[in-house]
Amino acid sequence: MVKKMEEIKKIFAQEKTTEIAASLLGMYLEHDTPNGKIAGYIVDCEAYLGPEDEAAHSFSMRNTPRLAAMYQKAGTIYLYTMHTHLILNLVTQKEGFPQGVMIRGIEPIKGIEQMQINRGGKTGSALTDGPGKLVTALGITKDLYGQSIFSSSLHLVAEKSRIPKKIERLPRIGIPNKGIWTEAPLRYVVAGNPYISKQKKNQIRPDHGWR
């Protein structure tokens, strides 16, 4: 059954970050840009559990000007730069409790030609199968920092969401030397979708993992 926006807001208001990460799979992420609407389905994301999570920026309640958005209310957009790439995160808990979900991959649906232009001519899964790639493809810029995923130019459209056949839980990518947090299954993916980071070709399903 397709989710409604009221349900999504309720999930962000009441659920654990891990449950929100799973619920985000299949959500339609849309960006209104000067070149038209660009959108895709979220297929890959990672949960970050804040104060106790050694891989989280907000580990031990670290708080700097760069992290200000992480301490805002659920649904706030938190962007940061890693290796020159802008990375998209969504705050998942109440104000002052810094947990979030990083969006790692989307399946392109609308504005694909513009995505290809934004990505310098890239096509296929390489278009959006990584956190920096999808941000560039969607035309996301730093001015969205601190805005709401429910009401800004970058937003979720609950009514257009899809339902995964199977959700897989995996260790997060690029989390070395963090003890139990390195292998913790805090990454959530739509099993069989081609736009998952580091997806093996023999695991891709013809239906891309959707019901």
Side-chain angles (χ1 to χ4, degrees), residues 61-95:
M61 295 298 286
R62 186 185 297 117
N63 196 352
T64 66
R66 185 185 77 153
L67 290 171
M70 279 298 300
Y71 288 82
Q72 296 178 20
K73 64 183 180 180
T76 298
I77 295 169
Y78 168 55
L79 295 161
Y80 69 91
T81 302
M82 181 175 66
H83 305 309
T84 73
H85 299 295
L86 200 60
I87 308 297
L88 172 64
N89 298 259
L90 306 179
V91 177
T92 53
Q93 298 298 312
K94 63 184 180 181
E95 188 172 353

Side-chain angles (χ1 to χ4, degrees), residues 32-70:
D32 294 329
T33 79
N35 295 311
K37 293 182 182 294
I38 307 176
Y41 297 114
I42 297 172
V43 299
D44 190 349
C45 60
E46 296 178 346
Y48 286 85
L49 306 184
E52 72 271 22
D53 185 346
E54 293 185 31
H57 289 172
S58 54
F59 175 60
S60 293
M61 295 298 286
R62 186 185 297 117
N63 196 352
T64 66
R66 185 185 77 153
L67 290 171
M70 279 298 300

